[in-house]
């Protein structure tokens, strides 16, 4: 099978994470990938990526890279404001696209991106990485396969430091010209997608938001109440605080009529379970990993399976495998667009103080600046 020539646009936190796992995939599957070129306007970021991951050429401008290189796939890992132009350019070049979340600066912009990749018939995947998390896959499998009864309530709490300091030291995150918004669209979009992935599309939501840090249009607190077709109610809280030592946290609790699942880990960790009249039990992280490994495709080499707790590795392996086998990668950009729609419905609800019926909410204009 021909080697896949890969380009990387944006070599910051997430671009480097992709490059690291692609390097790992390449080592486990010799002759499968070629890390061809990287582009970043910060020459030191490009040089670091070249030194660390072996990219052959470095550019300071992503469109120049797309024009000059013959690539099979590109990873769009620049700040959100640049996603649309890169995706459209790569699609015109016939290049497969992995685009980081959130898809776009607005639902309208994202809809044009989806139309473009479909028109050019290029394979595409969105970086909704929680779909490749060990603990969430095992939870989802338990929901599907154990007799937990009717899902009654979900409580989902997600907090991290405002990502302009600490691990995510990205000044653009506080600039509404470069970011799609604040904690909900730039981080909680993963959570909205996860809820839809677990329970199907929500039918209604209501949301509340605050902006305490004071970066215009970049909110740092959002609470969303969602209702699903089967009556399930979910509460999602997203917070960007200012405690640089506090790690990024998610806690997900699912209450069913005859079952309870909870985890404080979003990738790999312990899973609390209770089934029917049994006592509460714990699946240790090692058991969660084992359970997830059983769900992975047999084609995944054992040198990668043992690292399946690294969701980015599983995610990028899935993208590479889909390209190698001519399958449609999942989740595609249209899934990112749906998560963007839910986030914008939440912003609309918070601005108007009213709930939103989701079947008929398709924003046609970019959301106005948020308080
Ligand atoms: N899926 C996830 O878990 C996850 C995590 C973090 C970030 N993200 C998303 O990935 C994207 C990048 O975020 P990050 O955390 O890596 O940010 P970052 O600040 O760490 O890195 C961004 C990099 O892009 C470079 N850059 C700026 N303008 C560029 C351009 N026009 N072309 C190419 N490169 C450019 C910057 O110099 C920087 O090196 C954002 O859309 C963000 O929301 C996703």
């Amino acid at each position: 099978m021909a080697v896949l020539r890969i380009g990387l646009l944006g070599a910051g936190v997430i671009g480097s994470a992709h490059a690291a796992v692609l390097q790992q995939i390449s080592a486990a599957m010799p002759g499968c990938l070629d890390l061809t070129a990287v582009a970043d306007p910060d020459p030191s970021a490009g040089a670091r990526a070249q030194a660390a991951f072996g990219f052959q050429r470095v550019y300071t401008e992503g469109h120049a890279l797309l024009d000059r290189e013959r690539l099979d796939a590109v990873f769009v890992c620049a700040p959100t404001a640049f996603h649309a132009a890169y995706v459209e350019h790569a699609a015109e070049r016939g290049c497969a696209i992995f685009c980081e979340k959130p898809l776009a600066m607005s639902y309208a912009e994202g809809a044009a991106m989806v139309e473009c990749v479909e028109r050019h018939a290029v394979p595409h995947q969105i970086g909704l990485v929680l779909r490749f998390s060990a603990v969430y896959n095992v939870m989802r499998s338990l929901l599907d396969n154990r007799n937990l009864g009717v899902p009654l309530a979900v409580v989902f709490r997600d907090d991290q430091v405002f990502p302009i300091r600490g691990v995510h030291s990205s000044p653009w995150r506080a600039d509404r010209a470069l970011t799609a918004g604040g904690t909900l669209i730039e981080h909680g979009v993963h959570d909205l997608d996860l809820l839809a992935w677990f329970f199907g599309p929500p039918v209604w939501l209501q949301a509340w938001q605050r902006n305490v840090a004071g970066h215009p249009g970049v909110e740092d607190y959002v609470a969303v109440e969602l209702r699903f077709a089967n009556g399930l109610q979910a509460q999602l809280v997203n917070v960007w605080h200012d405690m640089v030592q506090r790690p990024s946290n998610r806690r997900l609790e699912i209450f069913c009529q005859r079952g309870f699942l909870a985890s404080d880990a979003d990738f790999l960790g312990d899973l609390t379970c209770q089934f029917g009249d049994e006592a509460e039990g714990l699946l240790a992280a090692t058991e969660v990993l084992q359970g997830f490994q059983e769900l992975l495709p047999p084609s995944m080499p054992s040198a990668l399976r043992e690292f399946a707790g690294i969701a980015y590795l599983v995610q990028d392996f899935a993208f590479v495998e889909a390209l190698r086998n001519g399958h449609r990668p999942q989740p595609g950009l249209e899934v990112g667009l749906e998560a963007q729609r839910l986030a914008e419905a939440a912003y609309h609800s918070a601005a108007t103080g009213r709930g939103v019926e989701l079947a008929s909410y398709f924003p046609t204009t970019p959301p106005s600046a948020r308080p």
Side-chain angles (χ1 to χ4, degrees):
M1 205 168 285
V3 62
L4 294 173
R5 294 158 299 190
I6 306 278
L8 174 66
L9 306 176
V13 169
I14 204 68
S16 302
H18 284 292
V21 297
L22 289 170
Q23 197 182 39
Q24 205 172 342
I25 292 168
S26 177
M29 300 163 68
C32 148
L33 299 180
D34 177 64
L35 297 186
T36 304
V38 57
D40 196 298
D42 174 357
S44 64
R48 268 197 309 276
Q50 185 174 41
F53 309 114
F55 286 99
Q56 293 170 33
R57 286 173 291 284
V58 184
Y59 293 77
T60 51
E61 214 286 302
H63 293 286
L65 181 154
L66 290 170
D67 280 335
R68 285 187 216 146
E69 298 288 344
R70 287 184 60 227
L71 299 175
D72 297 298
V74 70
F75 281 70
V76 178
C77 300
T80 308
F82 303 105
H83 290 185
Y86 279 150
V87 164
E88 285 168 23
H89 192 166
E92 283 160 12
R93 301 275 295 158
C95 188
I97 296 163
F98 184 101
C99 181
E100 264 307 336
K101 54 43 65 180
L103 177 62
M105 294 294 277
S106 68
Y107 177 83
E109 184 179 74
M113 292 162 74
V114 171
E115 187 279 323
C116 176
V117 292
E118 290 297 328
R119 180 161 33 87
H120 289 283
V122 291
H124 50 89
Q125 186 168 326
I126 185 79
L128 288 168
V129 67
L130 294 187
R131 289 186 179 227
F132 300 89
S133 134
V135 76
Y136 291 149
N137 271 280
V138 171
M139 266 183 157
R140 190 167 179 269
S141 163
L142 290 170
L143 279 169
D144 285 349
N145 298 313
R146 294 290 299 244
N147 182 19
L148 304 186
V150 178
L152 296 171
V154 174
V155 181
F156 200 176
R157 176 268 278 156
D158 182 352
D159 71 280
Q160 71 170 189
V161 65
F162 201 117
I164 52 175
R165 302 200 297 136
V167 183
H168 296 275
S169 187
S170 304
W172 64 269
R173 298 279 203 146
D175 180 353
R176 184 62 179 91
L178 296 175
T179 171
T183 186
L184 185 66
I185 185 69
E186 282 285 344
H187 190 58
V189 72
H190 285 296
D191 309 331
L192 291 168
D193 175 63
L194 183 112
L195 290 169
W197 181 51
F198 271 36
F199 302 110
V203 295
W204 176 92
L205 64 71
Q206 180 146 15
W208 300 262
Q209 71 177 44
R210 295 183 74 189
N211 182 341
V212 176
H215 303 289
V218 185
E219 86 289 346
D220 42 32
Y221 167 82
V222 179
V224 191
E225 177 118 18
L226 301 112
R227 194 182 311 133
F228 294 78
N230 62 0
L232 169 69
Q233 208 86 7
Q235 285 157 357
L236 170 65
V237 170
N238 280 95
V239 178
W240 274 351
H241 50 71
D242 191 22
M243 294 176 279
V244 78
Q245 297 292 343
R246 186 175 164 80
S248 197
N249 287 287
R250 282 189 174 90
R251 177 168 177 80
L252 176 58
E253 295 176 303
I254 301 172
F255 298 84
C256 301
Q257 202 182 14
R258 288 188 58 75
F260 171 70
L261 304 172
S263 181
D264 282 312
D266 46 9
F267 290 135
L268 180 60
D270 299 344
L271 176 49
T272 301
C273 314
Q274 189 155 14
F275 303 113
D277 297 334
E278 295 172 15
E280 186 176 282
L282 190 78
L283 277 181
T286 47
E287 296 169 287
V288 168
L289 181 59
Q290 212 174 358
F292 183 43
Q293 284 164 335
E294 284 163 18
L295 301 172
L296 292 170
S299 63
M300 190 176 208
S302 53
L304 298 179
R305 296 179 91 79
E306 63 177 302
F307 295 102
I310 304 171
Y312 295 96
L313 177 73
V314 182
Q315 170 187 251
D316 289 9
F317 172 77
F319 180 61
V320 167
E321 273 294 272
L323 298 187
R324 280 161 56 83
N325 295 316
H327 298 152
R328 198 177 163 101
Q330 292 290 340
L333 297 196
E334 72 286 353
V335 178
L337 182 64
E338 175 59 10
Q340 187 116 19
R341 186 174 80 93
L342 297 179
E344 285 189 27
Y347 289 134
H348 179 72
S349 167
T352 58
R354 289 200 296 271
V356 176
E357 296 292 343
L358 291 164
S360 55
Y361 186 76
F362 291 92
T364 50
T365 51
S368 55
R370 292 181 268 285

